[in-house]
Amino acid sequence: MAKISVATGLKTLFTVVGLLMVATLIYTLFIDGLPFRKELLTPWMAATLIDFYINVVVLAIWVAYKESNLVSSILWIILLVCLGSITTSAYIVVQFLKLSSQESSQDPMYYVLLRHPNKNDIAPQRKHSSVMTLRILFSILGLVMLGTLVYTAVTAGSPFRLELLNPWSAATLVDFYINVVALAVWVAYKESSWISAVFWIILLICLGSIATSFYIVLQLFQISAQDPAYLVLVQHGDRSENKYKGISGQAT
């Protein structure tokens, strides 16, 4: 029952935050017009957008892994790029709705995070591992964001100035932090200690995609370069793949 409550709670959470972002988008369009205006692109707005889209890269890689159909994968990623956390929330809710009652009662986060194998899958866990590629990619993204943060702070001063807070920058921050909520749920699921979970979630809130990138790199270094990269999604105790093979057996 507790696991089912988790699934229900997370479906409700992401339905609410998704609708919140839809309302924020409509309200901001109504009071401030379209966002494609040169005066809105301040140095700190540009840095926020870089921060935002690095987190989108994380979510897009997960979506690309989850979707067995190339067309649906591309469609969801385009929606992520264009609609941000509205798409993130909708996609997560859809994944929870796809769970069977048995999966919801056993470990809903596990089954939502991993792709459900089917008869048309060609043993995804046997494909060439992309662990090394992902280590390099997220190390670079983390350093890019760190460099962007330092450069913007040096050239544009502090971001904590009232004149920087316009309707579209506020909407962008809401969009950014809803994606952070999604990543924070994953971190809370992965971490066995609530102290380490709270620590990483605070870093996600304060440092954004810098913390996201380096957390992922740290997780990637906890599996070998020969392991399938999807193991980074799950808790350490589930990395034996026995559970995953169990899903495969049920699916076939």
Side-chain angles (χ1 to χ4, degrees):
M1 289 299 293
K3 298 290 187 180
I4 294 175
S5 298
V6 168
T8 303
L10 289 173
K11 276 189 290 188
T12 304
L13 170 64
F14 286 104
T15 299
V16 170
V17 296
L19 291 173
L20 171 64
M21 189 59 224
V22 170
T24 300
L25 180 61
I26 293 170
Y27 175 76
T28 310
L29 281 167
F30 181 76
I31 66 167
D32 202 37
L34 292 171
F36 310 111
R37 305 197 306 271
K38 187 177 179 181
E39 66 269 19
L40 293 177
L41 195 61
T42 63
W44 277 113
M45 185 62 158
T48 302
L49 288 173
I50 293 170
D51 207 6
F52 174 84
Y53 279 108
I54 289 175
N55 278 347
V56 167
V57 168
V58 176
L59 295 163
I61 290 173
W62 174 57
V63 168
Y65 157 73
K66 282 278 294 180
E67 295 297 309
S68 55
N69 182 285
L70 180 62
V71 174
S72 64
S73 177
I74 291 171
L75 177 61
W76 277 111
I77 290 170
I78 290 171
L79 290 174
L80 270 176
V81 172
C82 297
L83 297 179
S85 65
I86 295 173
T87 304
T88 303
S89 302
Y91 187 78
I92 292 171
V93 170
V94 167
Q95 300 313 303
F96 275 104
L97 289 173
K98 287 180 178 179
L99 295 181
S100 68
S101 57
Q102 182 182 5
E103 289 167 342
S104 294
S105 64
Q106 288 179 346
D107 192 343
M109 281 293 294
Y110 181 92
Y111 293 110
V112 161
L113 287 167
L114 291 187
R115 179 171 66 186
H116 199 297
N118 57 56
K119 293 179 181 179
N120 297 321
D121 283 337
I122 307 174
Q125 65 268 38
R126 301 301 179 194
K127 293 180 180 179
H128 176 68
S129 173
S130 54
V131 170
M132 285 299 298
T133 303
L134 292 174
R135 286 175 185 171
I136 294 168
L137 172 63
F138 286 109
S139 295
I140 291 171
L141 290 176
L143 291 172
V144 165
M145 190 58 225
L146 180 60
T148 300
L149 181 64
V150 172
Y151 175 79
T152 310
V154 169
T155 59
S158 170
F160 305 110
R161 305 197 309 272
L162 191 59
E163 63 267 24
L164 295 177
L165 190 63
N166 56 64
W168 275 111
S169 65
T172 303
L173 287 173
V174 173
D175 206 6
F176 174 82
Y177 279 109
I178 291 175
N179 278 345
V180 168
V181 168
L183 294 166
V185 169
W186 174 57
V187 169
Y189 165 74
K190 279 199 50 86
E191 294 298 311
S192 56
S193 161
W194 70 267
I195 296 175
S196 60
V198 169
F199 170 76
W200 277 108
I201 290 170
I202 290 171
L203 288 182
L204 283 175
I205 293 168
C206 298
L207 298 179
S209 64
I210 297 173
T212 304
S213 299
F214 289 119
Y215 182 78
I216 292 172
V217 170
L218 180 63
Q219 300 308 305
L220 287 164
F221 273 105
Q222 292 181 9
I223 61 177
S224 84
Q226 287 73 43
D227 283 331
Y230 69 76
L231 290 181
V232 79
L233 292 169
V234 298
Q235 294 171 327
H236 188 271
D238 291 330
R239 288 178 181 173
S240 64
E241 297 187 75
N242 291 332
K243 200 170 182 179
Y244 187 86
K245 290 176 182 176
I247 306 172
S248 299
Q250 292 170 14
T252 57

